Amino acid sequence: MDNHLLSLVVPAFNEERTIRAVLDRIFEYLPDVHEVVVVDDASSDLTPEVCHSYSSQENRVKLYRHKTNQGKTAALTTGFAACTGSIVVVQDADLEYDPSEIPNLIAPIKRNVAEVCLGSRFLAHRAGRVLYYRHYLANKFLTFINNILTDLNITDVETGYKAARSEIVKNMIIESSGFGFEIEFVAKRKKIAARITRSRFPTTAVRTKKGRRLG
């Protein structure tokens, strides 16, 4: 019997065109998801209205709103604090990442062989979204610098797919702002003496020592 409760955190800013499709795909591929925490970062379009309408039909969708735009990191911080599940996954609201990958992403955590899993767009063995070449080079450069500083063999430091046990993200001390969270999340593996393994799926699994705080 699976006793894990899955919480998804969806930071959203002006995503009225895609947010409903993302929510639809979440419930299509994850029918047993415990909750979906959408954090609207002061959108100026109809994103909050779309989410509110959706939540009126699906009570597992929980909407939080920032009065002023604070950036993705602040939205994630709000979402992590609100989660009540045992596993937390970050799901972007723009359809760049497909929720159908989440069962593979969280599999190492559910098997108790990892506390954190990082998705990678460069380990996939099947078709995926084509990246702009300049974005690809920039990401590879940032990943290279990150690996030198942390002595970790990460393949995709800027990936948006991250899964972790809830106690880890809730105790995380986040100091960056905007999109800096992506790199900070990976860099703090060193601080918690993380042990990293790779699954056959396009993810990188991270195991931490019990009792170590991620911050």
Side-chain angles (χ1 to χ4, degrees):
M1 180 178 179
D2 182 10
N3 294 319
H4 294 288
L5 297 178
L6 175 62
S7 296
L8 266 60
V9 175
V10 185
F13 177 66
N14 291 344
E15 302 289 358
E16 66 177 12
R17 293 181 298 176
T18 58
I19 187 65
R20 180 175 291 277
V22 168
L23 294 173
D24 284 343
R25 291 185 70 80
I26 287 172
F27 290 106
E28 176 184 357
Y29 290 103
L30 301 163
D32 297 325
V33 64
H34 173 59
E35 63 186 357
V36 180
V37 179
V38 180
V39 182
D40 175 67
D41 194 29
S43 293
S44 58
D45 65 0
L46 296 177
T47 298
E49 287 78 6
V50 172
C51 294
H52 179 73
S53 174
Y54 205 105
S55 66
S56 67
Q57 303 172 26
E58 173 53 74
N59 59 16
R60 288 176 292 177
V61 174
K62 302 175 181 179
L63 177 61
Y64 293 80
R65 297 188 64 186
H66 288 169
K67 292 182 179 180
T68 58
N69 183 263
Q70 302 176 47
K72 182 178 181 179
T73 297
L76 289 174
T77 300
T78 298
F80 292 157
C83 286
T84 60
S86 58
I87 299 176
V88 179
V89 172
V90 177
Q91 168 68 54
D92 283 351
D94 59 3
L95 284 178
E96 180 175 356
Y97 302 102
D98 191 344
S100 67
E101 295 286 356
I102 291 177
N104 295 340
L105 181 77
I106 64 177
I109 299 177
K110 296 176 71 173
R111 296 198 307 268
N112 293 319
V113 299
E115 279 78 46
V116 177
C117 285
L118 309 177
S120 174
R121 291 163 290 187
F122 307 122
L123 290 177
H125 298 294
R126 49 188 176 274
R129 181 173 182 264
V130 176
L131 303 176
Y132 287 111
Y133 187 61
R134 285 175 296 177
H135 294 176
Y136 167 82
L137 290 179
N139 181 53
K140 296 300 286 185
F141 175 73
L142 290 173
T143 299
F144 173 71
I145 297 298
N146 172 83
N147 290 350
I148 289 178
L149 295 176
T150 62
D151 197 29
L152 299 176
N153 188 23
I154 302 298
T155 62
D156 190 5
V157 71
E158 285 289 326
T159 179
Y161 257 149
K162 296 173 177 64
R165 293 190 182 280
S166 61
E167 63 268 22
I168 291 178
V169 295
K170 285 181 176 292
N171 289 323
M172 186 185 301
I173 301 173
I174 303 175
E175 300 173 351
S176 59
S177 60
F179 285 85
F181 170 82
E182 312 291 354
I183 294 178
E184 182 177 1
F185 186 91
V186 174
K188 285 184 174 177
R189 300 286 76 74
K190 192 73 173 182
K191 189 171 183 179
I192 60 172
R195 185 177 62 177
I196 301 177
T197 60
R198 288 179 180 172
S199 73
R200 66 183 180 89
F201 299 108
T203 63
T204 300
V206 181
R207 187 170 185 86
T208 66
K209 291 182 178 179
K210 290 184 177 180
R212 295 300 296 272
R213 188 176 186 186
L214 184 59

